Amino acid sequence: MLIRHAALLDGTVADIRVGGRIDQVGAGIRPVPGESVFDAAGGSVLPGLHDHHVHVRSAASALESLMLGPPAVRTDDQLTQALSTAQPGPDGWIRAVGYHESVAGELDRATLDAVSPETPVRVQHRSGALWILNSAALSRVGLPGHPDGRLRATDPWARTLPQRGTNLAEFGRRLTALGVTGVTDATPDLDADDVAALSAAHRRGEFRPRLHFLAPGKKILHDDRLDLDALTKWIIARHAAGGPVAVHCVTAAQLVVTVAALRAAGARPRDRIEHAAVADDANVADLADLGVTVVTQPNFVAERGDQYLADIPAAEHPLLWRVASLLKAGVRVALSTDAPFGREDPWSAMRAAVHRITASGAVLGPVERVAAREALTMFLGRADRPDRPRTVAPGQPGDLCVLTVPPEAALDHLDAGLVAATIIGGEVVYAAG
């Protein structure tokens, strides 16, 4: 296809011939017989956005799940009302997501039993690392004697859960409407069958964005199970097999242990730290020295910042979800949304990186603000090297995002409503209106 009158991020206006890859970029390119023509009318054309850390199946399932945390549910009474009126899915379970302790404290089987004693209920904590099951659900997964029903999502029991027919098509449609042409699935326990099934869904057009996977090189850490020797051995084994590693670090302790393990094992250029949610200056210097890429989510400043301000000591606020300090230190940085644990809108994440404003209007970590162009660029990286932005140039992938306004206006607003069209492999997969 031929895109005419496209405004590129460097300010030039050009025509673009694109198929599986970009073939030509220049002025006055004439259409050939049978070629479709899209008039960008002076709007921005940029590489399609790539979300570098999402959980595809979970995000698709969340579309069909009960939201049981802020902002939909904020109090104990609202939680009781939501659960007592919820209808089980086709599998006979009530599946809820997004729970946080600010609603009703530490949820356990007894609390859920009081509301729903007979229908199996599973509630996912908003961190994604924990599920809370009632007694009926615990019996279904073979754990009737479990003391509190609080189970880690990565433990073997999770494989016994019923697998819902998740709406991959709807999740993919939402992503392409945001200008997203590719995602990296960061689910840690995907096996070969899971990868094959998701890849097949993409090939048959059910899920349009391109797929990249961190598994089996993704490791989630838990503070009560930190084992430096075991982590070091795992990194060495992954490197020996020819693959990079990606380590989930949401606490200061997890990051310290991961840095030590990478030093002992020897970091590789494609190794990643996922989140780096809490990082002091010494950690930042370590990450720069190791040469790893940090994939982080400043959108949580906007989505959860008020909770951080209330729950986390003020002295630690400057250490949360750092971006500018990482860049200044020379750390390779890319952005993502962590959907469904964060909103799937990368434009919202960009705005959070630029403004650092919480839902109440407070500012969290003002020195970590970055310029709008930097925020946008950190969603343009290659799947295998998130720190290396793609460009609109011959030979680059034919995956593009077309906006309704020129670059300067787009950078002023960073809004998903500006997406006019999304193109994957030279085909329009989304057009506004």
Side-chain angles (χ1 to χ4, degrees), residues 356-428:
R356 307 283 300 193
I357 296 176
T358 72
S360 71
V363 177
L364 177 57
V367 299
E368 298 303 329
R369 290 167 168 161
V370 298
R373 188 177 293 270
E374 285 182 304
L376 172 60
T377 300
M378 286 186 279
F379 273 103
L380 303 183
R382 289 167 33 184
D384 61 336
R385 292 301 299 264
D387 61 303
R388 296 186 178 179
R390 292 161 290 124
T391 59
V392 179
Q396 291 281 324
D399 305 335
L400 301 169
C401 173
V402 183
L403 305 180
T404 58
V405 297
E408 289 308 313
L411 293 171
D412 282 344
H413 297 285
L414 296 176
D415 193 283
L418 300 177
V419 176
T422 303
I423 296 164
I424 298 179
E427 178 187 355
V428 175

Side-chain angles (χ1 to χ4, degrees), residues 1 17-23 48 181 202 208-210 396-400 422-429:
M1 67 177 295
R17 174 163 285 127
V18 59
R21 293 200 170 264
I22 297 172
D23 296 321
T181 59
H202 171 69
R208 301 305 299 269
R210 298 188 191 275
Q396 291 281 324
D399 305 335
L400 301 169
T422 303
I423 296 164
I424 298 179
E427 178 187 355
V428 175
V429 298

Side-chain angles (χ1 to χ4, degrees), residues 3-8 11-16 39-45 392 402:
I3 303 172
R4 306 197 67 183
H5 311 121
L8 307 185
T12 61
V13 176
D15 300 334
I16 306 165
D39 189 351
S44 307
V45 175
V392 179
V402 183

Side-chain angles (χ1 to χ4, degrees), residues 34-375:
E35 184 174 45
S36 61
V37 178
F38 186 101
D39 189 351
S44 307
V45 175
L46 51 138
L49 307 184
H50 189 96
D51 195 331
H52 296 285
H53 182 120
V54 301
H55 303 269
V56 174
R57 288 282 188 196
S58 293
S61 294
L63 298 178
E64 303 169 346
S65 300
L66 174 68
M67 175 52 68
L68 213 59
V73 173
R74 294 185 180 275
T75 68
D76 194 347
D77 287 344
Q78 290 175 343
L79 180 143
T80 299
Q81 173 69 14
L83 278 176
S84 62
T85 58
Q87 296 299 312
D91 55 13
W93 287 62
I94 293 173
R95 185 185 194 277
V97 297
Y99 183 76
H100 184 260
E101 288 78 11
S102 61
V103 175
E106 273 204 356
L107 206 60
D108 60 19
R109 70 183 292 174
T111 306
L112 295 178
D113 285 349
V115 181
S116 181
E118 298 181 0
T119 303
V121 177
R122 49 173 161 152
V123 179
Q124 188 179 47
H125 190 271
R126 76 175 183 184
S127 67
L130 178 73
W131 284 93
I132 306 98
L133 278 63
N134 71 350
S135 296
L138 288 166
S139 294
R140 295 282 187 95
V141 300
L143 296 171
H146 195 277
D148 57 16
R150 296 169 62 85
L151 305 173
R152 285 190 173 92
T154 52
D155 286 347
W157 71 273
R159 284 285 176 184
T160 68
L161 286 171
Q163 299 299 310
R164 288 192 173 178
T166 55
N167 195 342
L168 290 174
E170 174 59 17
F171 181 52
R173 187 201 65 77
R174 292 186 181 208
L175 291 177
T176 56
L178 296 167
V180 174
T181 59
V183 298
T184 295
D185 191 303
T187 308
D189 54 352
L190 289 182
D191 60 22
D193 290 341
D194 296 324
V195 171
L198 286 169
S199 299
H202 171 69
R203 287 194 300 272
R204 64 176 175 261
E206 180 182 355
F207 184 80
R208 301 305 299 269
R210 298 188 191 275
L211 280 162
H212 185 75
F213 300 95
L214 292 184
K218 167 77 182 295
K219 173 75 76 175
I220 285 186
L221 302 181
H222 300 282
D223 279 4
D224 60 349
R225 294 185 187 177
L226 293 177
D227 185 330
L228 175 58
D229 289 340
L231 182 59
T232 302
K233 290 176 182 177
W234 176 78
I235 293 171
I236 291 171
R238 284 295 308 150
H239 287 168
V245 299
V247 186
H248 168 106
C249 296
V250 295
T251 68
Q254 291 168 11
L255 186 56
V256 168
V257 170
T258 299
V259 165
L262 285 167
R263 286 202 184 282
R268 300 285 179 86
R270 291 169 57 206
D271 289 342
R272 298 170 38 149
I273 300 293
E274 307 302 309
H275 311 302
V278 185
D280 62 21
D281 290 343
N283 295 147
V284 171
D286 286 333
L287 294 170
D289 186 50
L290 288 168
V292 298
T293 297
V294 171
V295 178
T296 191
Q297 297 81 28
N299 48 303
F300 288 128
V301 170
E303 296 170 25
R304 304 180 183 178
D306 291 321
Q307 203 68 52
Y308 298 149
L309 292 172
D311 295 347
I312 296 175
E316 297 178 24
H317 293 171
L319 312 183
L320 299 175
W321 301 108
R322 305 179 81 173
V323 182
S325 294
L326 292 169
L327 292 171
K328 185 177 179 180
V331 179
R332 301 182 177 107
V333 183
L335 301 185
S336 71
T337 66
D338 198 17
F341 310 111
R343 288 179 57 200
E344 72 263 25
D345 181 357
W347 301 95
S348 177
M350 293 177 214
R351 293 195 302 275
V354 172
H355 302 296
R356 307 283 300 193
I357 296 176
T358 72
S360 71
V363 177
L364 177 57
V367 299
E368 298 303 329
R369 290 167 168 161
V370 298
R373 188 177 293 270
E374 285 182 304

